[in-house]
C-alpha cells in the first residue's frame, strides 16, 4: 500500500517536473537571432580628370612712331618722345626703359610703345591733319559749318607746315640746356655754333609751331643757367639764341 502510494507520488512528481520542464523550455526559448545579411556596399569612386587646355593665341603688337629731329645729347641715341632718348639698338620705349623689339616693349605693359620714326616732316603732318579734318567735316550736316571748318583746318595745316622755331647757343660753357615751350619739354641743346645754323641742325632744338603766341624757358642741365621769354611765330625759321 505504501509502496503504491510512493510510486504514485513519484509519478506525480515526475509528471509535474516534466510539465514544469516543458513550460520552462517554452518560456526561456531563445529565438535564434535573425541573421542580418550585411551587404557590403562598394562605393565606386569615379575620378574625373580635369584637363586644362591652354589655347595659345598669336598676339600682334603695335608700336607708334615718334617724329622729330634727333636732338639726343649722346651719340648712338635716338629720340622716342619729347622727353626721352633710347639707344639705336633698342629704339622701342615703354615707361622708363628701352627695348630692342616692339613685342618686348608691349609685353612690358605698354599698350602702344613709341619708337623713333625719323625727322619731323611738316608736309606729311599737315597732310594727315588736312585729311582727318576733311573726314570729320564731311560728316557735318550744315554746309556753312563744313565750309568754315575746312577753311580753318586748311589755314592751320599751312601754318604748321611753314613755321618752325629753333633754339641754339654760341657758347660751350653751359653744356646741355633743356628747352621748354608753353610749359612742355621739347628737347636738349647739345652743341654750340659760332654763327646761327639752319633749322634742324644737329645739337639744336627745332620744333614745328602751330600757335602764334608762345612762351618758353630753358635751364642748364646740372647748373644755374636759366633763360625765358615769349615769341610770336612767323612763317619760316624762327631762331632763338641762348648766350
Amino acid at each position: 500500500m505504501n509502496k503504491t502510494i510512493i510510486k504514485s507520488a513519484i509519478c506525480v512528481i515526475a509528471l509535474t517536473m516534466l510539465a514544469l520542464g516543458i513550460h520552462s523550455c517554452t518560456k526561456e526559448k531563445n529565438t535564434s537571432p535573425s541573421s542580418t545579411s550585411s551587404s557590403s556596399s562598394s562605393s565606386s569612386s569615379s575620378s574625373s580628370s580635369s584637363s586644362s587646355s591652354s589655347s595659345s593665341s598669336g598676339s600682334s603688337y603695335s608700336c607708334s612712331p615718334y617724329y622729330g629731329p634727333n636732338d639726343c645729347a649722346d651719340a648712338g641715341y635716338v629720340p622716342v618722345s619729347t622727353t626721352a632718348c633710347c639707344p639705336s639698338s633698342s629704339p622701342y620705349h615703354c615707361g622708363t626703359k628701352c627695348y630692342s623689339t616692339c613685342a618686348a616693349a608691349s609685353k612690358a605693359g605698354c599698350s602702344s610703345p613709341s619708337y623713333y620714326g625719323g625727322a619731323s616732316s611738316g608736309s606729311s603732318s599737315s597732310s594727315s591733319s588736312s585729311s582727318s579734318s576733311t573726314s570729320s567735316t564731311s560728316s557735318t550736316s550744315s554746309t556753312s559749318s563744313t565750309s568754315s571748318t575746312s577753311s580753318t583746318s586748311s589755314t592751320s595745316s599751312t601754318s604748321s607746315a611753314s613755321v618752325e622755331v629753333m633754339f641754339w647757343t654760341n657758347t660751350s660753357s653751359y653744356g646741355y640746356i633743356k628747352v621748354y615751350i608753353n610749359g612742355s619739354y621739347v628737347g636738349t641743346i647739345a652743341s654750340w655754333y659760332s654763327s646761327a645754323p639752319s633749322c634742324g641742325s644737329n645739337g639744336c632744338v627745332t620744333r614745328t609751331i602751330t600757335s602764334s603766341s608762345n612762351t618758353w624757358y630753358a635751364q642748364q642741365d646740372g647748373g644755374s643757367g636759366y633763360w625765358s621769354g615769349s615769341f610770336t611765330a612767323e612763317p619760316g625759321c624762327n631762331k632763338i639764341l641762348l648766350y
Side-chain angles (χ1 to χ4, degrees):
M1 178 72 176
N2 290 332
K3 289 182 178 181
T4 301
I5 294 172
I6 291 172
K7 288 181 178 180
S8 298
I10 290 173
C11 288
V12 170
I13 291 172
L15 291 172
T16 302
M17 291 179 64
L18 182 60
L20 291 174
I22 292 174
H23 176 73
S24 177
C25 286
T26 303
K27 183 178 181 180
E28 295 179 4
K29 183 177 181 182
N30 291 327
T31 58
S32 59
S34 60
S35 61
T36 58
S37 61
S38 61
S39 61
S40 61
S41 61
S42 60
S43 62
S44 61
S45 61
S46 62
S47 62
S48 61
S49 61
S50 61
S51 61
S52 61
S53 62
S54 62
S55 62
S56 61
S57 59
S59 300
S60 58
Y61 304 100
S62 173
C63 292
S64 302
Y66 167 75
Y67 297 103
N70 190 344
D71 52 11
C72 295
D74 298 327
Y77 279 69
V78 293
V80 291
S81 70
T82 57
T83 59
C85 293
C86 281
S88 56
S89 59
S90 300
Y92 295 92
H93 181 245
C94 175
T96 58
K97 295 184 178 180
C98 301
Y99 299 86
S100 59
T101 63
C102 178
S106 299
K107 291 178 181 178
C110 289
S111 59
S112 182
S114 61
Y115 67 94
Y116 184 47
S120 62
S121 172
S123 59
S124 62
S125 63
S126 68
S127 173
S128 61
S129 170
S130 175
S131 62
S132 62
S133 63
T134 303
S135 61
S136 63
T137 55
S138 64
S139 61
T140 309
S141 59
S142 171
T143 305
S144 60
S145 174
T146 303
S147 171
S148 173
T149 306
S150 175
S151 62
T152 302
S153 172
S154 174
T155 303
S156 66
S157 63
T158 303
S159 172
S160 64
S162 58
V163 176
E164 288 183 316
V165 61
M166 181 188 71
F167 293 84
W168 67 287
T169 183
N170 60 356
T171 177
S172 61
S173 58
Y174 294 110
Y176 298 121
I177 303 174
K178 294 182 176 180
V179 180
Y180 300 79
I181 298 178
N182 297 327
S184 299
Y185 172 80
V186 293
T188 299
I189 298 176
S191 302
W192 67 277
Y193 292 83
S194 58
S195 59
S198 59
C199 276
S201 295
N202 189 31
C204 301
V205 176
T206 304
R207 287 292 179 268
T208 300
I209 299 300
T210 56
S211 56
S212 57
S213 298
N214 305 272
T215 60
W216 65 271
Y217 69 92
Q219 290 179 321
Q220 179 185 5
D221 191 9
S224 58
Y226 182 84
W227 303 260
S228 64
S230 60
F231 66 91
T232 300
E234 299 292 341
C237 179
N238 299 265
K239 300 178 182 180
I240 298 177
L241 170 63
L242 305 183
Y243 58 91

